Coordinates of all heavy atoms in Angstrom, one line a residue:
R2 N 1.3 8.0 13.0 CA 0.4 7.5 14.1 C -0.3 6.3 13.6 O -0.8 6.3 12.5 CB -0.4 8.6 14.6 CG 0.3 9.8 15.1 CD -0.2 10.4 16.3 NE 0.6 11.5 16.7 CZ 1.4 11.5 17.8 NH1 1.6 10.4 18.4 NH2 2.1 12.6 18.0
D3 N -0.5 5.3 14.5 CA -1.3 4.2 14.2 C -0.9 3.5 12.9 O -1.8 3.3 12.1 CB -2.8 4.5 14.3 CG -3.2 5.1 15.7 OD1 -2.7 4.5 16.7 OD2 -4.0 6.0 15.8
L4 N 0.4 3.2 12.8 CA 0.9 2.7 11.5 C 0.9 1.1 11.6 O 1.4 0.6 12.6 CB 2.3 3.1 11.4 CG 3.1 2.6 10.1 CD1 2.4 3.2 8.9 CD2 4.5 3.0 10.1
Q5 N 0.3 0.5 10.6 CA 0.3 -0.9 10.5 C 1.8 -1.3 10.1 O 2.2 -0.9 9.0 CB -0.6 -1.5 9.5 CG -2.1 -1.5 10.0 CD -3.0 -2.1 9.0 OE1 -2.9 -1.8 7.8 NE2 -3.8 -3.0 9.5
C6 N 2.4 -2.2 10.8 CA 3.8 -2.6 10.5 C 3.8 -4.1 10.4 O 3.2 -4.8 11.2 CB 4.7 -2.2 11.7 SG 5.0 -0.5 11.7
P7 N 4.6 -4.6 9.5 CA 4.7 -6.1 9.3 C 5.5 -6.7 10.6 O 6.4 -6.0 11.1 CB 5.5 -6.2 8.1 CG 6.1 -5.0 7.7 CD 5.3 -3.9 8.5
V8 N 5.1 -7.8 11.0 CA 5.8 -8.5 12.0 C 7.0 -9.2 11.3 O 6.9 -9.9 10.4 CB 4.8 -9.6 12.7 CG1 5.7 -10.4 13.7 CG2 3.8 -8.9 13.4
L9 N 8.2 -9.0 11.9 CA 9.4 -9.5 11.4 C 10.1 -10.4 12.4 O 10.1 -10.1 13.6 CB 10.4 -8.4 10.9 CG 9.8 -7.4 10.0 CD1 10.9 -6.3 9.7 CD2 9.4 -8.1 8.6
Q10 N 10.7 -11.4 11.9 CA 11.7 -12.2 12.8 C 13.1 -12.2 12.1 O 13.2 -12.5 10.9 CB 11.3 -13.6 12.9 CG 9.8 -13.7 13.4 CD 9.7 -14.2 14.7 OE1 10.7 -14.8 15.2 NE2 8.6 -14.0 15.4
S11 N 14.1 -11.8 12.8 CA 15.5 -11.7 12.3 C 15.9 -12.9 11.5 O 16.6 -12.8 10.6 CB 16.5 -11.2 13.3 OG 16.6 -12.1 14.3
N12 N 15.6 -14.1 12.1 CA 16.0 -15.4 11.5 C 15.1 -15.9 10.4 O 15.3 -17.1 9.9 CB 16.3 -16.4 12.6 CG 15.1 -16.7 13.3 OD1 14.0 -16.0 13.2 ND2 15.1 -17.7 14.2
E13 N 14.1 -15.2 10.0 CA 13.1 -15.7 9.0 C 13.0 -14.8 7.8 O 12.2 -14.0 7.6 CB 11.7 -15.8 9.6 CG 11.6 -16.9 10.7 CD 11.7 -18.3 10.1 OE1 11.4 -18.5 8.9 OE2 12.0 -19.2 10.8
L14 N 14.1 -15.0 6.9 CA 14.1 -14.1 5.7 C 13.0 -14.4 4.8 O 12.5 -13.4 4.1 CB 15.4 -14.3 5.0 CG 16.7 -14.0 5.7 CD1 17.9 -14.5 4.9 CD2 16.8 -12.5 5.9
Q15 N 12.5 -15.6 4.7 CA 11.4 -16.0 3.8 C 10.0 -15.7 4.5 O 9.1 -15.8 3.8 CB 11.6 -17.4 3.3 CG 12.8 -17.7 2.7 CD 13.0 -16.8 1.4 OE1 12.0 -16.6 0.6 NE2 14.1 -16.4 1.2
G16 N 10.0 -15.3 5.8 CA 8.8 -15.3 6.5 C 8.3 -16.6 6.8 O 8.7 -17.7 6.3
K17 N 7.3 -16.6 7.8 CA 6.6 -17.8 8.1 C 5.2 -17.6 8.3 O 4.7 -16.7 8.9 CB 7.2 -18.3 9.5 CG 7.0 -19.8 9.8 CD 7.7 -20.1 11.1 CE 9.0 -20.9 10.8 NZ 9.5 -21.4 12.1
S18 N 4.4 -18.4 7.5 CA 3.0 -18.2 7.5 C 2.3 -17.9 8.9 O 2.6 -18.8 9.9 CB 2.3 -19.4 6.8 OG 0.9 -19.3 6.8
E19 N 1.6 -16.9 9.0 CA 0.9 -16.4 10.2 C 1.8 -16.1 11.4 O 1.4 -15.9 12.5 CB -0.1 -17.5 10.7 CG -1.2 -17.7 9.6 CD -2.2 -18.7 10.1 OE1 -2.5 -18.8 11.4 OE2 -2.7 -19.3 9.3
E20 N 3.2 -16.0 11.2 CA 4.1 -15.6 12.2 C 5.0 -14.5 11.9 O 5.3 -13.7 12.8 CB 5.1 -16.9 12.5 CG 4.4 -18.0 13.2 CD 5.4 -19.1 13.6 OE1 6.6 -18.8 13.8 OE2 5.0 -20.2 13.6
S21 N 5.5 -14.3 10.7 CA 6.3 -13.2 10.3 C 6.3 -13.0 8.7 O 5.9 -13.9 8.0 CB 7.7 -13.5 10.7 OG 8.3 -14.7 10.0
C22 N 6.6 -11.8 8.3 CA 6.7 -11.4 7.0 C 8.0 -11.6 6.3 O 9.1 -11.6 7.1 CB 6.3 -9.9 6.8 SG 4.6 -9.6 7.4
S23 N 8.1 -11.7 5.0 CA 9.3 -11.9 4.3 C 10.1 -10.6 4.1 O 9.5 -9.5 4.3 CB 9.2 -12.6 3.0 OG 8.5 -11.8 2.1
T24 N 11.3 -10.6 3.7 CA 12.1 -9.5 3.3 C 11.5 -8.8 2.2 O 11.5 -7.5 2.1 CB 13.6 -9.9 3.0 OG1 13.6 -10.8 1.9 CG2 14.3 -10.5 4.1
E25 N 11.0 -9.5 1.2 CA 10.3 -8.9 0.0 C 9.1 -8.1 0.5 O 8.8 -7.0 -0.1 CB 9.9 -9.9 -1.1 CG 11.1 -10.5 -1.8 CD 11.6 -11.8 -1.0 OE1 11.0 -12.1 0.0 OE2 12.6 -12.3 -1.5
E26 N 8.2 -8.7 1.3 CA 7.0 -8.0 1.8 C 7.4 -6.7 2.6 O 6.7 -5.7 2.4 CB 6.2 -9.0 2.7 CG 5.5 -10.0 2.0 CD 4.9 -11.1 2.8 OE1 5.5 -11.5 3.9 OE2 3.8 -11.5 2.6
L27 N 8.5 -6.8 3.3 CA 9.0 -5.6 4.1 C 9.4 -4.5 3.1 O 9.0 -3.3 3.3 CB 10.1 -5.9 5.0 CG 10.7 -4.6 5.7 CD1 9.8 -4.1 6.8 CD2 12.2 -5.0 6.2
F28 N 10.1 -4.9 2.1 CA 10.7 -3.9 1.1 C 9.6 -3.2 0.4 O 9.6 -2.0 0.3 CB 11.5 -4.7 0.1 CG 12.6 -3.9 -0.6 CD1 13.5 -3.1 0.2 CD2 12.6 -3.8 -1.9 CE1 14.5 -2.3 -0.5 CE2 13.5 -3.0 -2.6 CZ 14.4 -2.2 -1.8
E29 N 8.5 -3.9 0.1 CA 7.4 -3.4 -0.6 C 6.6 -2.4 0.4 O 6.2 -1.3 0.0 CB 6.5 -4.4 -1.2 CG 5.3 -3.9 -2.0 CD 4.5 -5.0 -2.5 OE1 4.3 -6.1 -1.9 OE2 4.1 -4.9 -3.7
W30 N 6.3 -2.9 1.5 CA 5.8 -2.1 2.6 C 6.5 -0.7 2.8 O 5.8 0.3 2.9 CB 5.5 -2.9 3.8 CG 5.1 -2.2 5.0 CD1 3.7 -1.9 5.2 CD2 5.8 -1.5 6.0 NE1 3.6 -1.2 6.4 CE2 5.0 -0.9 6.8 CE3 7.1 -1.5 6.3 CZ2 5.3 -0.2 8.1 CZ3 7.5 -0.8 7.4 CH2 6.6 -0.1 8.2
L31 N 7.7 -0.9 3.0 CA 8.6 0.2 3.3 C 8.5 1.2 2.2 O 8.4 2.5 2.4 CB 10.1 -0.3 3.5 CG 11.0 0.8 4.1 CD1 10.5 1.3 5.4 CD2 12.4 0.1 4.3
G32 N 8.5 0.9 1.0 CA 8.3 1.7 -0.2 C 7.0 2.5 -0.1 O 6.9 3.7 -0.4
A33 N 6.0 1.8 0.3 CA 4.7 2.4 0.4 C 4.6 3.4 1.5 O 4.1 4.6 1.4 CB 3.6 1.3 0.6
V34 N 5.2 3.1 2.7 CA 5.3 4.1 3.7 C 6.1 5.2 3.4 O 5.7 6.4 3.7 CB 5.8 3.3 5.1 CG1 6.2 4.4 6.1 CG2 4.9 2.3 5.6
L35 N 7.3 5.0 2.9 CA 8.2 6.2 2.5 C 7.6 7.1 1.5 O 7.8 8.3 1.4 CB 9.4 5.7 2.1 CG 10.3 5.0 3.1 CD1 11.6 4.5 2.4 CD2 10.7 5.9 4.3
N36 N 6.7 6.6 0.7 CA 6.0 7.4 -0.4 C 4.5 7.8 0.0 O 3.8 8.3 -0.8 CB 6.0 6.6 -1.7 CG 7.3 6.5 -2.4 OD1 7.8 7.6 -2.8 ND2 7.8 5.4 -2.5
Q37 N 4.3 7.6 1.4 CA 3.1 8.1 2.0 C 1.9 7.5 1.3 O 0.8 8.2 1.1 CB 3.0 9.6 2.1 CG 4.2 10.1 2.8 CD 4.3 11.7 2.8 OE1 3.6 12.3 2.0 NE2 5.1 12.2 3.6
V38 N 1.9 6.2 0.9 CA 0.8 5.5 0.2 C -0.1 5.0 1.4 O 0.3 4.5 2.4 CB 1.3 4.4 -0.6 CG1 0.0 3.5 -1.1 CG2 2.1 4.8 -1.7
S39 N -1.5 5.2 1.2 CA -2.4 4.8 2.2 C -2.4 3.3 2.2 O -2.3 2.6 1.2 CB -3.8 5.3 1.8 OG -4.7 4.6 2.7
L40 N -2.5 2.7 3.4 CA -2.3 1.3 3.7 C -3.6 0.6 4.0 O -3.6 -0.5 4.5 CB -1.3 1.0 4.8 CG 0.1 1.4 4.5 CD1 1.0 1.1 5.7 CD2 0.8 0.9 3.2
D41 N -4.8 1.3 3.8 CA -6.0 0.8 4.3 C -6.8 0.1 3.3 O -7.9 -0.5 3.6 CB -6.8 1.9 4.9 CG -7.1 3.1 3.8 OD1 -6.8 3.0 2.7 OD2 -7.5 4.2 4.3

């Protein structure tokens, strides 16, 4: 519940400043979520 999720754009693998996150940022975030690490 009330999970902070990165904003992603399918055509932006490197992410775009203030618009979307990169694949590496997603991968790190996903590892934190799957391991139930607090994101606050």
